[in-house]
Amino acid sequence: FFFFNDTATTEIYTEQIVGSVRCVQETGYQRRVHGDINIFVKMAGYQIPSKYGYVVISSAAIAAQCYFIGFVVPMKARGKYFNKEFLEQNFGETHTKEIGHKLPGMGYPDMGSGKYSEKLSYKDWFYLNNAMRCHYNYIEQVGVVIPVTLGAGLFFAVPASTLALGYFIGRILYTYGYMSEAGADKREIGAVMLNLSLIGNIGLCLASGVKPVSYTHLRAHETPEHLVCRLLLEKKKN
C-alpha cells in the first residue's frame, strides 16, 4: 500500500495495491479474495461539491443586494426629504450656534425618528421610515442568511442556491411593496417568499450538520484496513 495522509481532510489515497488484498466477507463459510485494484479511499472526509460555486455566488449576490439597497432606497429617501433647503430652513442657524460648524447634509445622524424628522410632514415621515425599514430588516437577517446558505450548500448545493435565489427575489418584492403607498401591508408577498426560503436553508443547514455526524458515528471504530476491504466489497457488488 502507498498511503498519503492529508490531516486537513483525513483523506487516504492508495496509489496501488500490490499483490492481492485478502478481504473476508462472512457469508456462511465463504471467503472471497480480490486482486489488484486502484482505489481512492476517504475516511470521514469531505469533498466540496462540484456545484458549490453556485452557493458562493448566490451568497455573494445576497450580500451585494443588502449593500446596494442601502444606497438605492434609504439614501435616496434621505436626499429627498432631508434636502439642503429643508435642513437650512429648520436647523441651519441652531446647528451653527450650538455646534460651531455648518449643518451636515442628508439629515445625518437622524435615522428617521430624531430631531430632524419632527419637522417632516406625516406623509414624508411615513415614506422616509418605510425606506429605512427596508434596509434595517435586511441588515437584521443578512447575518443569518449567508452563513446558513453556505452551511446548507455543503451537502445540498443546488437546493441551497435555489432557495438563496428565492430569498433574493423575495427581497426585491419586499422592497417594492414596502415603498408603495400601502407601505408595510404590501410587503407580505415578498416577506413570505424570503422567509420560506430562509427557513428552508436553515433546515438544509441542520441536515448538513447531521449528515457527517451520523457517518462518523457509524464508522467510528473502522480501521483503514476494514475501510479498504468494505469499499472493495461494495465495488464488487455494484
Side-chain angles (χ1 to χ4, degrees):
F1 291 77
F2 297 88
F3 292 109
F4 300 85
N5 293 305
D6 181 345
T7 56
T9 56
T10 324
E11 293 178 347
I12 297 180
Y13 297 84
T14 301
E15 180 80 7
Q16 184 180 17
I17 299 179
V18 182
S20 63
V21 178
R22 182 172 298 277
C23 296
V24 180
Q25 181 182 31
E26 297 296 336
T27 307
Y29 294 99
Q30 296 181 6
R31 298 165 69 88
R32 300 179 182 180
V33 179
H34 306 282
D36 294 352
I37 300 177
N38 292 327
I39 64 171
F40 170 72
V41 181
K42 281 179 174 290
M43 289 185 57
Y46 173 76
Q47 183 177 11
I48 294 177
S50 60
K51 295 182 180 179
Y52 194 75
Y54 296 144
V55 180
V56 176
I57 291 171
S58 59
S59 297
I62 289 172
Q65 185 184 45
C66 181
Y67 177 77
F68 286 109
I69 278 182
F71 291 100
V72 176
V73 181
M75 187 170 286
K76 183 179 179 180
R78 279 182 171 280
K80 180 178 180 179
Y81 301 118
F82 289 149
N83 56 64
K84 186 176 181 179
E85 182 182 354
F86 169 83
L87 293 172
E88 285 294 337
Q89 180 180 345
N90 292 283
F91 304 100
E93 183 178 344
T94 302
H95 185 88
T96 302
K97 180 181 178 180
E98 297 287 340
I99 307 299
H101 196 272
K102 67 177 183 178
L103 192 65
M106 305 192 69
Y108 290 107
D110 195 315
M111 301 302 287
S113 58
K115 195 73 175 179
Y116 299 157
S117 299
E118 293 176 358
K119 294 291 184 178
L120 292 174
S121 67
Y122 181 83
K123 181 179 179 180
D124 290 349
W125 174 88
F126 178 77
Y127 286 128
L128 173 64
N129 277 271
N130 282 347
M132 294 292 184
R133 275 306 302 163
C134 285
H135 195 219
Y136 289 168
N137 184 267
Y138 209 154
I139 292 172
E140 290 164 4
Q141 286 196 356
V142 73
V144 176
V145 176
I146 293 177
V148 299
T149 299
L150 294 173
L154 292 175
F155 287 94
F156 308 97
V158 174
S161 54
T162 301
L163 287 170
L165 177 61
Y167 187 91
F168 186 94
I169 296 172
R171 270 294 162 192
I172 295 174
L173 298 176
Y174 181 93
T175 301
Y176 273 107
Y178 223 138
M179 294 308 296
S180 68
E181 292 184 357
D185 288 343
K186 199 73 177 289
R187 80 193 194 285
E188 293 177 355
I189 294 176
V192 170
M193 185 174 183
L194 68 89
N195 279 298
L196 286 177
S197 298
L198 175 56
I199 292 170
N201 263 343
I202 290 174
L204 290 179
C205 188
L206 291 171
S208 292
V210 171
K211 204 173 180 72
V213 170
S214 299
Y215 178 86
T216 303
H217 175 72
L218 290 172
R219 306 300 180 191
H221 303 292
E222 189 170 48
T223 66
E225 292 78 11
H226 292 154
L227 182 58
V228 170
C229 292
R230 178 172 59 79
L231 293 181
L232 286 170
L233 292 170
E234 290 176 359
K235 184 179 181 67
K236 181 177 177 64
K237 289 178 183 179
N238 296 332

